[in-house]
Amino acid sequence: MSVELLASAAPWRTFRWYKGQKHYSGIYWSATTNDHVIYESRLELARLLFADFDPSVRHIVAQPFLLKAELEGKVRKHVPDYLLIAEQGPVVVDVKPLHRVSKPEVAFTFDWTRRAVESRGWQYEVWSEPPPAELENIRFLAGYRRPWLFDADLLDELRGADIDGVPLGQIARRFPAYAEPQVRSAVHHLLWSCELLVELDRPLDPSRVCRRAA
């Protein structure tokens, strides 16, 4: 099956909400796809946030296909969590908590899945818990991902301004024609879209220095 056809695929399975369920399922609006993408756990939602934040990712498909193989005399089936269509090519992603990755049945499934995916020349990734500070920063910036909420003229002024090396808390002073919260929100949008960059390894604060993307 071609990547182009998979890009329009519906999720292989649906999920239900019910009292006492173990997983936190939901729907996330993705700026990358300009549409909703499903997730079946908070960890899957975290992977979605990282994919949506990554400028190299062009499209995201949840539960894109069913893999089926006969191994050791048994028919094995597996539905990967995500397909990321990225600049470097398709990336098939399985999301699993780190403490479960080494379990024999999980490791076995991921091993044959990796071989099947890589045989097509695609990349395969098993994704577990990210650094907490990085996740919280991306989760915060995701609140500014919808471009139509921001003043286009202000965004253009920010793009053209020399703010390399300027602390985040001082940028608004350079745009006195706009309210400080308006400038701050626009800066957060440009950080989300990676037009401005800042280190995400610790919590964002006004002293953090930003730089323009190359």
Side-chain angles (χ1 to χ4, degrees):
M1 183 176 290
S2 69
V3 175
E4 291 74 18
L5 188 57
L6 285 172
S8 61
W12 186 264
R13 59 177 181 261
T14 58
F15 58 83
R16 295 174 296 171
W17 291 278
Y18 57 91
K19 184 177 180 180
Q21 70 179 21
K22 295 181 180 180
H23 300 293
Y24 181 92
S25 304
I27 300 172
Y28 168 82
W29 186 86
S30 164
T32 301
T33 65
N34 198 33
D35 203 352
H36 291 94
V37 183
I38 68 168
Y39 58 88
E40 291 188 308
S41 69
R42 290 187 181 273
L43 191 57
E44 285 190 16
L45 174 57
R47 185 64 186 94
L48 264 181
L49 286 166
F50 273 72
D52 207 23
F53 181 66
D54 185 347
S56 73
V57 175
R58 299 294 183 235
H59 196 65
I60 305 168
V61 185
Q63 300 176 13
F65 49 76
L66 170 70
L67 286 172
K68 187 176 180 180
E70 186 172 340
L71 300 164
E72 298 181 356
K74 293 179 62 177
V75 175
R76 315 282 180 167
K77 297 179 181 180
H78 179 58
V79 178
D81 294 313
Y82 294 108
L83 170 66
L84 309 182
I85 300 175
E87 289 178 355
Q88 67 270 28
V91 183
V92 176
V93 181
D94 271 313
V95 177
K96 190 69 65 175
L98 187 60
H99 73 274
R100 295 186 58 193
V101 170
S102 61
K103 291 183 177 293
E105 65 275 16
V106 174
F108 179 82
T109 297
F110 288 170
D111 178 65
W112 72 260
T113 299
R114 179 182 300 278
R115 285 184 278 121
V117 168
E118 292 181 348
S119 71
R120 297 186 63 91
W122 297 357
Q123 297 181 53
Y124 179 67
E125 169 190 292
V126 175
W127 199 84
S128 299
E129 294 85 349
E134 187 176 6
L135 172 59
E136 287 309 306
N137 285 331
I138 292 175
R139 194 195 309 276
F140 169 74
L141 292 176
Y144 301 87
R145 66 188 183 276
R146 297 170 175 84
W148 62 85
L149 297 179
F150 304 94
D151 186 303
D153 291 334
L154 173 56
L155 291 176
D156 286 341
E157 289 187 39
L158 283 165
R159 292 181 179 113
D162 182 14
I163 54 177
D164 274 0
V166 177
L168 294 175
Q170 297 180 20
I171 293 176
R173 301 175 190 173
R174 302 191 174 206
F175 301 88
Y178 299 93
E180 181 178 348
Q182 188 179 11
V183 178
R184 188 167 59 246
S185 295
V187 169
H188 289 154
H189 174 67
L190 294 180
L191 287 171
W192 166 263
S193 62
C194 295
E195 295 180 66
L196 294 177
L197 304 176
V198 69
E199 296 297 328
L200 299 175
D201 58 344
R202 55 190 175 88
L204 291 176
D205 62 62
S207 67
R208 301 301 296 275
V209 170
C210 73
R211 66 185 190 279
R212 196 170 301 284

